[in-house]
Amino acid sequence: MAASLAGAGRLTRLSMTTDDEHQRALTDVTAGVAAPLLIGFLLWVLKNAQRNGVSRLYFIARDGQVLIRMAQVLVDRLGLKIELRYLYGSRLAWVFPAAGKVTIPVLDALVPLDGSDGRQHFTLTQFFGRFGVTCEAALLALLQTLFAARGWDDDLAHDELVMLRSMALQHPLPERAADAQALATRVDVLDYLRQEGFGDQESIGIVDLGTGATLYRALARLLDSASLPLPAGYYFASAGSTSPTMTPAPDLPLRCQRADRLLRALRADRLSRGRCSADHGRSAVPTP
């Protein structure tokens, strides 16, 4: 296997003819590091799914788009009888409806202060949009705050974002509007999951690259609210969240303190995530 991967990586690098140094570096990292990592992860997923009697695997958007294409090749070559499906889902679509209200964990997931979701700045429109609250519904609350003179599409400073997060927890008007939107969206999400085969008696599993298993825990709350069983979870990495006491916890290829240090040193989750960007935008709630 090691020799085959090394040979495939070399053939890939030689087949790419470019004078662009940046493109050549991307090719080298993808063929020499990311591809072997992800192939190893997918072989682990398929082996464990087969062992656990899983007949269908869902690959969560957007990281799952490249992963499912790779997995299909492996399934065909290995002659496995496992159905592979692509599942639209995201923090925006699942986390808030799962919680049903604005909470600190929801704020940390949807409007983090550390830019962990890849966004360095938020505007008022983007902030309230993450909770399905229109500018009009939030206007009265904003008029009573320091944001009265703010443009809806102006970037918020860090201290303003902190203040806005606090207001979202305390002010009744946007809170009521947001809570109602969360419950309405939950219905749509559950309808979509049922449409895609959740609860149809098949033994199923979820595949994601992951960092903190935020999506998996949100999915667990959504399914529990409808008395639907939680599928097995297969995650590539978990950024410091490998404790077996985390509930619910997906399976990881390596679950130990030494492996956790190794993954953080390699930044393996970001490495693989950078190679697995989908060709579509962040998924909202699909129409069942």
Side-chain angles (χ1 to χ4, degrees):
M1 173 62 74
S4 296
L5 289 174
R10 176 175 171 77
L11 284 173
T12 301
R13 291 192 296 271
L14 291 175
S15 69
M16 297 291 293
T17 56
T18 177
D19 295 328
D20 187 298
E21 185 174 341
H22 178 68
Q23 185 62 43
R24 190 163 54 248
L26 288 177
T27 301
D28 289 346
V29 171
T30 299
V33 183
L37 273 175
L38 295 176
I39 289 172
F41 166 62
L42 289 171
L43 289 173
W44 171 83
V45 169
L46 295 173
K47 177 180 179 180
N48 280 273
Q50 194 174 36
R51 176 188 300 155
N52 297 332
V54 171
S55 59
R56 182 189 302 151
L57 288 172
Y58 293 88
F59 291 75
I60 301 179
R62 303 164 59 230
D63 304 335
Q65 190 182 69
V66 172
L67 291 178
I68 193 172
R69 293 173 182 172
M70 297 172 67
Q72 189 61 64
V73 174
L74 294 173
V75 166
D76 293 343
R77 291 294 183 92
L78 297 173
L80 301 179
K81 295 186 181 301
I82 296 179
E83 180 185 0
L84 307 180
R85 290 194 187 183
Y86 191 60
L87 186 71
Y88 287 98
S90 68
R91 291 187 180 192
L92 296 181
W94 289 1
V95 171
F96 187 39
K101 61 186 301 183
V102 178
T103 63
I104 291 178
V106 168
L107 288 168
D108 289 342
L110 298 186
V111 282
L113 296 174
D114 59 1
S116 58
D117 68 340
R119 182 183 294 277
Q120 297 302 315
H121 300 284
F122 282 93
T123 66
L124 289 172
T125 301
Q126 291 165 342
F127 181 93
F128 284 105
R130 297 221 158 180
F131 305 99
V133 178
T134 64
C135 297
E136 291 78 9
L139 182 59
L140 292 178
L142 292 174
L143 288 175
Q144 300 176 33
T145 72
L146 299 178
F147 298 98
R150 262 291 183 199
W152 289 106
D153 296 315
D154 294 338
D155 286 342
L156 297 168
H158 183 272
D159 59 337
E160 290 177 320
L161 186 58
V162 171
M163 187 184 305
L164 199 57
R165 282 168 46 113
S166 177
M167 190 195 78
L169 291 170
Q170 299 172 5
H171 200 283
L173 180 61
E175 180 182 356
R176 284 199 299 270
D179 292 354
Q181 181 62 36
L183 296 177
T185 306
R186 180 188 296 177
V187 174
D188 290 337
V189 173
L190 288 170
D191 283 347
Y192 170 67
L193 293 174
R194 290 190 183 95
Q195 168 190 288
E196 294 304 306
F198 281 70
D200 64 1
Q201 307 305 314
E202 291 288 335
S203 179
I204 62 178
I206 293 289
V207 183
D208 197 11
L209 294 181
T211 48
T214 302
L215 278 181
Y216 191 65
R217 293 199 295 273
L219 180 63
R221 288 192 291 271
L222 285 167
L223 295 175
D224 183 65
S225 70
S227 300
L228 294 174
L230 177 66
Y234 302 108
Y235 270 54
F236 175 75
S238 183
S241 300
T242 57
S243 170
T245 61
M246 183 183 73
T247 304
D251 287 337
L252 303 171
L254 301 169
R255 190 191 289 275
C256 64
Q257 187 175 14
R258 182 176 298 175
D260 188 50
R261 289 199 302 267
L262 174 63
L263 288 171
R264 285 203 303 270
L266 288 173
R267 302 314 300 266
D269 58 323
R270 291 192 180 182
L271 174 65
S272 55
R273 191 181 297 274
R275 305 280 72 78
C276 293
S277 297
D279 60 9
H280 61 77
R282 296 175 183 270
S283 53
V285 181
T287 302

